[in-house]
Amino acid sequence: MKPGKRVTLADVAAHAGVDRSVISRVMNSDPGLNIRPETRERVLASVKTLGYRPNAAARTLRTRQSRTFGLFIPDYANPVYAEIIKGAEAAAAERECVLVTGSGRVAGSAQPYLDLLADGRVDGLLLAGGVKAPATLAALRESRMPWLLLNWSMTDATRHIVLDDEGAAAMAVEHLVSLGHRRIAHLAGPDGSDTASRRASGYRAAMRLHGAAPDPALAVRADYTADGGFHAMTELLGRTPRPTAVFVANVASAIGALRAAYRCGVRVPSELSIVAVHDLPLAEYLVPALTTVRMPLEELGRRGVEKLTTTDPDTPVAETVGGPMELVLRESTAPPGVN
């Protein structure tokens, strides 16, 4: 055989001394195939020796399965999505499938990925935010293919898996209250964000639970970016009286918030404590190291692929991945006024 030439089914059949149909049925583990064990072993040995790989395009036409899942995220720049992708990719690999990803920042919209789903070029689609148009829901339903909203929900969307955002917010606020803080501000997520809404709700409920009514003047919206956190914190620190602690809805925003506190001459944590939702390896190396609430992002991605492969597209899915959540104590929180 010439170097570089693709190995075909006919090549394997000739090498093993059997008919092409036998090779195909062995490769597909056909339970109805009646051949001697030594023949099966010879076929598998030929497959390995020649390095034969089935033609994926032909297999897709026969089975109507691409063994590929799609995952659409709002923005690769948000490091939170890396953990979701990691979990989804692992779950796909366990099923001998692959995961393809794309972002709204690059594609501009989810339409190219909806087209892949409608055309059967992916076996299922996960959408991890960034899409709000009702037309998107209509296209998902019309595809008759498996789909799922991941880490967000939408009115009339009956298939979603989210995290316990209210619980994460409560954990953060309870930590600050336990340190003695009562004037606790909130750098909320962007307007219209499903996760931001749940975290704000959890913040307000936890504040009321501890007898510290949330002050609307201490709530500022920030995009889930370091730049958004920087500008929101700068605005917050310009108000009087200042808070003694801040609960930030997203770790990327908190990175910018730390920088803003430094630029404003506010010392963290002696003059201002900061805690954020989600954890990153980078949080350990910030100055000061950032206290966070670690969320099960990898498990969220894994669960998404599992549901794609085990539920009918018309079956409602409404799950919350509740744990494990963990308060990661570092250097950015302390009792008020402690030097």
Side-chain angles (χ1 to χ4, degrees):
M1 189 177 301
K2 294 180 180 179
K5 179 180 179 292
R6 181 181 179 87
V7 178
T8 67
L9 201 66
D11 295 327
V12 180
H15 191 274
V18 298
D19 189 79
R20 289 173 55 182
S21 64
V22 173
I23 304 296
S24 180
R25 294 175 71 181
V26 168
M27 294 294 291
N28 290 316
S29 302
D30 184 349
L33 179 62
N34 185 19
I35 59 173
R36 295 177 179 177
E38 56 266 29
T39 302
R40 185 183 299 275
E41 290 175 7
R42 190 168 71 249
V43 167
L44 294 174
S46 294
V47 168
K48 184 176 181 180
T49 299
L50 298 179
Y52 172 69
R53 296 181 63 185
N55 186 298
R59 182 175 61 187
T60 297
L61 289 173
R62 290 194 306 271
T63 66
R64 294 190 177 276
Q65 288 186 328
S66 66
R67 307 194 69 79
T68 303
F69 298 111
L71 172 57
F72 181 82
I73 64 174
D75 191 352
Y76 284 118
N78 188 331
V80 166
Y81 292 107
E83 289 296 303
I84 296 176
I85 292 171
K86 182 180 178 182
E89 194 168 46
E94 288 169 4
R95 290 157 177 79
E96 298 184 344
C97 298
V98 296
L99 184 78
V100 294
T101 64
S103 80
R105 180 65 64 96
V106 175
S109 78
Q111 191 57 52
Y113 303 92
L114 296 175
D115 291 342
L116 288 176
L117 187 67
D119 294 343
R121 286 180 284 170
V122 292
D123 295 332
L125 182 63
L126 299 168
L127 292 103
V131 181
K132 303 297 180 185
T136 299
L137 270 184
L140 290 170
R141 288 168 176 152
E142 289 170 6
S143 72
R144 308 295 301 165
M145 297 290 284
W147 60 273
L148 199 66
L149 306 185
L150 204 59
N151 200 37
W152 64 294
S153 61
M154 196 164 125
T155 304
D156 298 328
T158 57
R159 292 177 58 82
H160 63 263
I161 302 179
V162 298
L163 295 171
D164 183 9
D165 293 290
E166 291 94 339
M171 183 177 285
V173 171
E174 286 166 6
H175 168 59
L176 294 173
V177 169
S178 73
L179 293 174
H181 296 280
R182 291 297 180 271
R183 190 167 173 78
I184 302 171
H186 180 37
L187 289 197
D191 189 26
S193 165
D194 176 61
T195 56
S197 177
R198 290 197 300 273
R199 290 168 199 171
S201 177
Y203 157 76
R204 291 190 296 267
M207 291 287 285
R208 294 190 186 99
L209 180 65
H210 293 286
D215 184 350
L218 294 181
V220 182
R221 290 202 175 275
D223 290 338
Y224 287 160
T225 64
D227 186 63
F230 177 86
H231 290 291
M233 181 65 94
T234 300
E235 178 183 341
L236 179 66
L237 293 178
R239 300 177 181 180
T240 53
R242 286 177 176 169
T244 63
V246 182
F247 161 55
V248 187
N250 178 275
V251 65
S253 304
I255 293 171
L258 275 174
R259 177 65 177 172
Y262 174 79
R263 289 286 297 272
C264 293
V266 176
R267 293 174 295 172
V268 177
S270 61
E271 294 178 291
L272 183 73
S273 284
I274 298 177
V275 59
V277 170
H278 293 314
D279 190 46
L280 297 174
L282 175 65
E284 178 71 34
Y285 300 98
L286 298 173
V287 180
L290 182 65
T291 295
T292 63
V293 177
R294 181 179 293 149
M295 301 281 274
L297 293 167
E298 189 172 337
E299 177 61 22
L300 179 68
R302 178 179 290 276
R303 193 79 61 87
V305 170
E306 289 174 355
K307 285 298 178 181
L308 279 186
T309 58
T310 58
T311 60
D312 184 88
D314 295 325
T315 302
V317 175
E319 286 191 12
T320 298
V321 180
M325 289 191 299
E326 179 187 359
L327 180 68
V328 184
L329 294 173
R330 296 194 179 99
E331 300 167 351
S332 66
T333 54
V338 172
N339 290 307

